[in-house]
Amino acid sequence: MNTADQYVKAIYLLQEMENGPAATGALADMMEVSPASANEMIGKLESRGLAEHEKYKGVTLTDEGIVRARNALQTYCIIERFLSNVLDVEEFRAEARDLEPVIDGMIAERLDTIIDRNSECPDCFDPETDACEYLDVCGAEPETETEVAD
């Protein structure tokens, strides 16, 4: 998965949470980049036909962008569930975020055969809790920034 995929995934999740266009500032925050960097990538996504940006209103994904975002989200869910459910990695969310940019489609497909992914994926991902509802983790809460820093 490349940087563009991470951005379309983030835009998709923000659109879901905001029920409308993703604010550029919120996107920058989610991607942990400067607003200028987010705007630069938005321009690249627009030129590739993946997003549309309206100044002061935000960015929305095109139909092609939505398909790409859902594929990226599905890959993330696969990685997250594999780390949690199969390998029992305690810090699976942090590890999934680190692995996400380097796992390609072929590897994700192979991991998918191991986790027996639900056909509802990626609709199983809740952007509010930043978690897949099919994670096999008892009482797992999404990591907060405080927990990550500890």
Side-chain angles (χ1 to χ4, degrees), residues 114-149:
I114 296 169
I115 65 167
D116 193 28
R117 179 178 44 87
N118 189 297
S119 63
E120 293 176 19
C121 190
D123 293 325
C124 57
F125 192 84
D126 180 8
E128 295 290 336
T129 61
D130 189 31
C132 172
E133 68 182 62
Y134 296 110
L135 276 172
D136 189 18
V137 180
C138 298
E141 293 291 325
E143 295 171 0
T144 63
E145 288 183 27
T146 306
E147 290 171 339
V148 173

Side-chain angles (χ1 to χ4, degrees), residues 52-63:
E52 296 172 350
H53 182 246
E54 192 171 339
K55 200 169 189 174
Y56 305 115
K57 292 201 177 188
V59 61
T60 56
L61 295 175
T62 62
D63 290 343

Side-chain angles (χ1 to χ4, degrees), residues 11-77:
I11 293 166
Y12 178 82
L13 292 173
L14 287 168
Q15 283 182 190
E16 291 290 307
M17 290 187 292
E18 297 173 6
N19 200 24
T24 306
L27 178 62
D29 290 345
M30 184 178 266
M31 295 300 298
E32 298 179 347
V33 298
S34 70
S37 293
N39 275 320
E40 182 180 343
M41 181 54 82
I42 289 168
K44 290 178 182 179
L45 295 175
E46 278 188 293
S47 69
R48 296 176 190 171
L50 299 173
E52 296 172 350
H53 182 246
E54 192 171 339
K55 200 169 189 174
Y56 305 115
K57 292 201 177 188
V59 61
T60 56
L61 295 175
T62 62
D63 290 343
E64 184 180 347
I66 290 171
V67 168
R68 192 154 165 183
R70 289 177 59 78
N71 287 339
L73 184 57
Q74 187 172 28
T75 296
Y76 177 78
C77 285

Side-chain angles (χ1 to χ4, degrees), residues 58-115:
V59 61
T60 56
L61 295 175
T62 62
D63 290 343
E64 184 180 347
I66 290 171
V67 168
R68 192 154 165 183
R70 289 177 59 78
N71 287 339
L73 184 57
Q74 187 172 28
T75 296
Y76 177 78
C77 285
I78 289 168
I79 296 166
E80 188 178 60
R81 290 183 57 211
F82 177 78
L83 291 171
S84 173
N85 299 359
V86 177
L87 298 182
D88 198 27
V89 173
E90 194 170 311
E91 300 294 329
F92 63 91
R93 284 195 176 88
E95 292 294 332
R97 284 190 294 271
D98 289 344
L99 287 171
E100 179 182 20
V102 296
I103 298 291
D104 68 12
M106 180 193 69
I107 300 297
E109 286 176 23
R110 290 185 180 177
L111 294 176
D112 189 19
T113 63
I114 296 169
I115 65 167

